Amino acid sequence: MKHKLNIILSTVLFVFIWSCKPSKEDRQSNTSIEKINKVDVPVFNGDSAYLFVKKQVDFGKRVPNTAPHILCGNYLYSTLKSYSEEVIVQEFIGTSFDKKALKLRNIVTSFNPKASKRIILAAHWDTRPFADQEVKEQSQLKPIDGANDGASGVGVLLEFARVISIAKEKPQVGIDIILFDGEDYGQPDFLKLPQQENTWCLGSQYWAANKHKANYQAYYGILLDMVGGKNAKFAMDGTSRQFAPEIQKSVWNTANSIGYSQYFIYQNSEQIIDDHLYVNQIAKIPMIDIIEYEPSDGSYFANTWHTLDDNLQNIDKNSLKAVGQTLLQVLYQE
Ligand code: AHN
Ligand code: ZN
């Protein structure tokens, strides 16, 4: 009798324990819920990004076919190589508006190179040979420091690469950081030459027609240009809105959700020519631009744009941080 009771009790206990065990489906959904809740987004360091901006400016003006340009390009390559195994340099000759042969290099760094879902982060690393927005004519012929126009976007991407390289948890997507050369050699108005098409963005035009890898494809791209200004405002430019409206909304929403509503404003602005135009038009990869907008200045851009005041004194670490932290948040959510 006692024996029989024992068997009944242990059977009841066994069935009870078995029924408490989560089913296979439950276990799977539990892990995916944990994954969604547990995205530990690394911290972007604005001070470090600022030092990367300063380092570039300290080389001197990074105008193509000059020593500072070559030395800075070498520095960008070796720095990125310290953060990722795969850095590909695309060397090519670009032709300027005045028919000069420019020795240019696009620098492409890949993280998680085997992943098929890839996202591009880009910025240009060259600086403008003419401060053509200066009022005084003698000043217009001088090259600019390009602390904001050039170095700021690259500084954010170097810090992004550093953070990813030491992060315990990596983003699931593949990431390609592309540093375009020859963006800022566009024909200046003061020469009063006949209008010419496509004199800006030589590096992105080249890359879009000759990708760094055969059959390269990306899900989408984000371009950074002039992201280090004081009280910078990033509006929703017409070119990004035309080619990649959903990505633009989603990046703005992410920035706003983590507290950067002062920077990422929900305001539509005009179409602009920048590297993203050629990536959209020629490579057919949807790419948006995060670029400072200053409506009161008439030129779209801030009042330091293409002037001798585009220097380190006008760089704000908080703007670099807002953009860099937003990028990390976007990439870890993909
Ligand atoms: C035009 O001025 C038409 N595009 C400017 C794009 C640019 C220059 N971004 C930085 N420097
Ligand atoms: Zn420029």
Side-chain angles (χ1 to χ4, degrees), residues 6-302:
N6 249 344
I7 291 178
I8 292 169
L9 270 179
S10 50
T11 311
V12 167
L13 197 66
F14 178 77
V15 170
F16 177 69
I17 290 169
W18 181 256
S19 68
C20 289
K21 230 169 98 278
S23 69
K24 204 176 169 203
E25 288 80 353
D26 283 342
R27 290 200 301 275
Q28 278 177 350
S29 63
N30 272 347
T31 34
S32 54
I33 288 167
E34 275 166 24
K35 274 239 171 82
I36 291 167
N37 294 337
K38 256 182 47 190
V39 270
D40 263 335
V41 181
V43 175
F44 183 93
N45 186 330
D47 294 302
S48 173
Y50 178 85
L51 289 177
F52 283 130
V53 175
K54 180 177 182 328
K55 181 82 193 184
Q56 294 169 76
V57 173
D58 286 348
F59 280 104
K61 293 135 183 55
R62 284 86 66 218
V63 172
N65 293 356
T66 68
H69 181 258
I70 294 167
L71 293 173
C72 184
N74 296 349
Y75 159 76
L76 294 173
Y77 173 79
S78 57
T79 304
L80 286 163
K81 193 76 184 136
S82 75
Y83 300 141
S84 163
E85 271 300 301
E86 197 179 298
V87 185
I88 296 175
V89 178
Q90 234 185 7
E91 290 194 89
F92 60 102
I93 301 291
T95 307
S96 67
F97 69 89
D98 52 356
K99 302 285 174 282
K100 279 198 192 76
L102 305 177
K103 275 195 83 175
L104 303 177
R105 283 182 286 180
N106 291 329
I107 304 167
V108 187
T109 306
S110 298
F111 291 93
N112 196 3
K114 292 203 182 76
S116 59
K117 181 176 176 181
R118 313 203 59 77
I119 293 175
I120 299 171
L121 302 176
H124 76 89
W125 69 273
D126 61 305
T127 52
R128 184 146 181 78
F130 333 98
D132 50 340
Q133 296 295 319
E134 283 286 341
V135 181
K136 280 204 288 178
E137 269 182 41
Q138 314 95 284
S139 304
Q140 293 176 357
L141 282 166
K142 294 181 179 164
I144 65 169
D145 277 355
N148 200 20
D149 193 356
S152 68
V154 173
V156 167
L157 296 183
L158 290 177
E159 170 60 6
F160 181 96
R162 187 191 70 80
V163 167
I164 293 289
S165 74
I166 58 171
K168 276 203 223 86
E169 234 183 295
K170 310 286 184 193
Q172 294 197 345
V173 286
I175 300 172
D176 300 300
I177 295 179
I178 310 184
L179 305 183
F180 291 123
D181 203 350
E183 189 274 345
D184 236 343
Y185 221 107
Q187 180 173 303
D189 289 341
F190 66 72
L191 291 176
K192 302 199 166 60
L193 295 168
Q195 271 291 321
Q196 292 190 74
E197 296 282 306
N198 307 327
T199 65
W200 302 88
C201 308
L202 300 178
S204 52
Q205 292 188 59
Y206 182 86
W207 180 85
N210 312 273
K211 314 252 183 45
H212 62 290
K213 278 184 183 175
N215 303 316
Y216 176 81
Q217 252 306 330
Y219 184 41
Y220 66 80
I222 303 175
L223 175 68
L224 310 182
D225 196 0
M226 298 185 267
V227 292
K230 290 181 178 156
N231 301 313
K233 303 265 177 268
F234 308 114
M236 304 170 98
D237 80 279
T239 308
S240 305
R241 223 171 340 111
Q242 180 190 340
F243 290 100
E246 297 308 321
I247 295 151
Q248 191 183 44
K249 272 180 236 152
S250 156
V251 170
W252 258 245
N253 289 348
T254 298
N256 276 261
S257 77
I258 58 170
Y260 298 122
S261 56
Q262 299 269 5
Y263 296 91
F264 289 79
I265 58 172
Y266 289 100
Q267 189 180 326
N268 288 345
S269 55
E270 304 97 271
Q271 298 223 335
I272 48 169
I273 297 172
D274 205 348
D275 291 315
H276 67 322
L277 173 67
Y278 296 97
V279 173
N280 279 301
Q281 262 183 357
I282 304 173
K284 309 265 190 276
I285 295 170
M287 181 180 265
I288 66 159
D289 200 359
I290 300 176
I291 182 165
E292 187 177 352
Y293 176 60
E294 180 43 69
S296 63
D297 212 52
S299 65
Y300 188 110
F301 309 111

